[in-house]
Amino acid sequence: MASQESLLVRQYLMTAKASQTAGTNIETARLGLEALSALTPLAPDINLEKTSIEGIPAEWVTHLEY
């Protein structure tokens, strides 16, 4: 059975897809996905490190091993 978070993400993506227009750009899509990801906190065993790659903002995500 899908988790509540998974169902929420699916619902959001389906709604976003239906509301897209020809003028929708990547920055608008990125902001929507960032807002969606903020709804679910990172698990305690996940580490997120902000970085940049050739001047482009990026994130390095790792799983902490106990």
Side-chain angles (χ1 to χ4, degrees):
M1 181 178 207
S3 69
Q4 282 299 110
E5 291 86 0
S6 175
L7 294 173
L8 182 63
V9 168
R10 179 176 167 72
Q11 179 182 0
Y12 174 83
L13 292 174
M14 296 302 284
T15 302
K17 180 181 176 185
S19 67
Q20 283 184 344
T21 64
T24 301
N25 63 31
I26 190 72
E27 187 58 33
T28 301
R30 181 179 292 120
L31 290 172
L33 288 173
E34 287 178 2
L36 179 62
S37 68
L39 298 175
T40 305
L42 287 178
D45 59 344
I46 301 297
N47 185 49
L48 181 70
E49 179 184 343
K50 294 194 180 287
T51 187
S52 74
I53 301 169
E54 296 184 10
I56 301 169
E59 296 175 339
W60 188 258
V61 181
T62 54
H63 180 260
L64 302 174
E65 295 184 32
Y66 293 103

